[in-house]
Amino acid sequence: MASTTSKKIVEEVSGFLRVYDDGTVDRTWTGPPQAQFLMNPVPPHEEFINGVATKDLTIDPNNGLKVRIYLPETTEDQRTNTLPLLLHFHGGGYCITQPDWYMYYHFYTRLVREARAPCVSVYLPLAPEYKLPAQSDAALASLMWIRSLALAESCECESSHESGKEPWLMDVDFKRVFLIGDSAGGNIVHDVAARAGCTDIEPVRLVGGLILCPGFLRSTPIKSYMENEETPILTRDMVDKLMDLAVSEPSATTKDHPVISPMGRQAPPLAGLKLPPMLVVVAEKDLIRDSQLEYCEAMKDAGKEVEVVVFDGLPHCFYANKIVIELDPKAASETQRLIERIVDFIRSH
């Protein structure tokens, strides 16, 4: 195999990703060393640590689709098929990050512990190797896997392995499934919810979507994108490059792709979609704040149920950045408020 030094970089997303002229992709973190720990994978641990256990599971051996399951420690009276289930789609502009990264681990362990809700986080395929809508296809496939578990509940087999059941999800109420996603994963929440609305997912019921700092964009300029301050995890150059890498034919209208801009002209009209109630989390200092709010207004105009929570003075996906949380008391307290708001939404649906 040729060494990396003999290859030429044809595209680079600073810190996160390099695409070479032979088509290979290197996602080694090359940004500030002090941020490396956020990108480090956390090995699964099937024993409970601080009230949460985790394991990785291949749900489709044909294509290698995997999930990470977060299981909260519960008492006997909290079980017996009463736990809501979260189905999580990670962010990363469709090109980077994995569910086992510490940036997700430190937040989602807190969330499942406080919500007392298991979480299934999907290892989505990444662009540029896999272009949109491959990420949505994998996310929908994970929902259909959950449907298969729900159908297996009626099986009389004693062995969960023989009946197609998943032992870690035996206490889940499959009629209380929530989709949740960060950044571009929030876009996947909308897209999968829309596709599930015209797909037979019985006996599963989607009762809500949790869209956190979504990656909603459009090709025409937006004020916040031009004026808000960039951060190490979100710059204008990063957004532009990731979106071009995510689509099959990048162009001046890349950001109007129906997954990237579900309120845009290329997307199906919102009024015609069957969608569950949505909670949309917006950070005031997010570069893409204005297009997030545009989505919320478009949803309301289409008669959809949407709640909007704005976190003042904070940047994109602030809750995932442990450095910000540890250095900024406001970010720490608002992360806790975010978790409480999510828990309230889950318990009210």
Side-chain angles (χ1 to χ4, degrees):
M1 180 181 292
S3 66
T4 302
T5 56
S6 67
K7 300 188 291 187
K8 179 182 177 183
I9 295 175
V10 295
E11 188 59 274
E12 182 170 14
V13 179
S14 181
F16 283 101
L17 177 149
R18 288 147 300 283
V19 182
Y20 292 93
D21 55 0
D22 65 353
T24 58
V25 181
D26 179 14
R27 294 182 174 86
T28 305
W29 173 250
T30 59
Q34 62 268 30
Q36 173 69 62
F37 77 100
L38 292 170
M39 276 62 77
N40 286 342
V42 179
H45 50 85
E46 298 195 12
E47 73 281 8
F48 288 102
I49 298 177
N50 296 323
V52 179
T54 63
K55 76 171 179 179
D56 289 340
L57 182 69
T58 299
I59 64 172
D60 188 341
N62 294 318
N63 59 20
L65 182 61
K66 292 197 313 177
V67 298
R68 168 156 292 196
I69 303 178
Y70 292 84
L71 181 68
E73 192 169 18
T74 53
T75 60
E76 197 67 38
D77 62 337
Q78 292 170 338
R79 294 194 281 271
T80 64
N81 303 98
T82 60
L83 303 179
L85 178 64
L86 306 178
L87 178 58
H88 172 246
F89 311 128
H90 62 79
Y94 317 104
C95 298
I96 52 178
T97 86
Q98 292 288 315
D100 60 359
W101 281 19
Y102 182 75
M103 67 166 62
Y104 298 118
Y105 178 85
H106 86 85
F107 179 75
Y108 281 92
T109 49
R110 287 180 63 182
L111 178 58
V112 302
R113 183 170 58 243
E114 297 199 25
R116 292 198 301 273
C119 177
V120 174
S121 183
V122 186
Y123 285 83
L124 298 173
L126 301 177
E129 299 96 322
Y130 300 92
K131 304 288 189 178
L132 282 170
Q135 294 75 16
S136 287
D137 293 344
L140 183 62
S142 68
L143 177 61
M144 299 310 288
W145 172 73
I146 288 172
R147 179 188 184 235
S148 74
L149 300 182
L151 289 169
E153 268 202 343
S154 59
C155 178
E156 299 298 328
C157 304
E158 292 185 5
S159 167
S160 61
H161 175 73
E162 291 176 0
S163 65
K165 299 177 182 178
E166 167 48 49
W168 278 35
L169 300 178
M170 296 289 283
D171 296 310
V172 160
D173 180 357
F174 290 106
K175 294 191 180 298
R176 292 187 65 216
V177 175
F178 296 82
L179 305 180
I180 182 168
D182 321 272
S183 193
N187 299 50
I188 302 297
V189 166
H190 173 92
D191 195 56
V192 169
R195 293 169 69 176
C198 55
T199 303
D200 181 11
I201 63 170
E202 288 290 336
V204 168
R205 183 172 171 229
L206 290 184
V207 293
L210 297 146
I211 299 178
L212 314 184
C213 298
F216 299 141
L217 293 160
R218 55 184 172 86
S219 59
T220 52
I222 54 176
K223 184 178 180 182
S224 64
Y225 193 73
M226 303 306 296
E227 296 182 0
N228 278 2
E229 186 176 345
E230 297 179 324
T231 68
I233 67 167
L234 194 72
T235 67
R236 284 175 280 275
D237 180 70
M238 180 187 303
V239 172
D240 294 344
K241 287 180 176 178
L242 289 175
M243 295 307 101
D244 280 346
L245 289 170
V247 300
S248 296
E249 297 181 5
S251 68
T253 60
T254 288
K255 293 175 186 171
D256 293 327
H257 186 285
V259 174
I260 298 171
S261 185
M263 65 290 188
R265 289 174 295 179
Q266 294 184 21
L270 294 173
L273 302 179
K274 182 182 176 182
L275 297 170
M278 298 287 191
L279 174 68
V280 180
V281 171
V282 177
E284 182 197 13
K285 297 299 183 181
D286 197 332
L287 288 180
I288 47 183
R289 176 200 65 208
D290 289 349
S291 48
Q292 295 165 354
L293 293 173
E294 180 185 342
Y295 166 83
C296 296
E297 289 305 309
M299 286 279 283
K300 292 177 182 177
D301 290 344
K304 305 306 178 185
E305 185 177 340
V306 57
E307 299 177 41
V308 186
V309 183
V310 178
F311 289 80
D312 295 336
L314 291 169
H316 186 73
C317 291
F318 62 91
Y319 57 89
N321 191 334
K322 192 71 181 301
I323 298 173
V324 171
I325 293 172
E326 290 183 344
L327 294 178
D328 182 357
K330 179 179 180 180
S333 63
E334 291 293 77
T335 296
Q336 181 58 37
R337 184 167 76 91
L338 169 60
I339 289 175
E340 292 169 358
R341 189 64 193 83
I342 293 172
V343 172
D344 287 344
F345 183 84
I346 292 171
R347 290 179 180 170
S348 63
H349 289 82

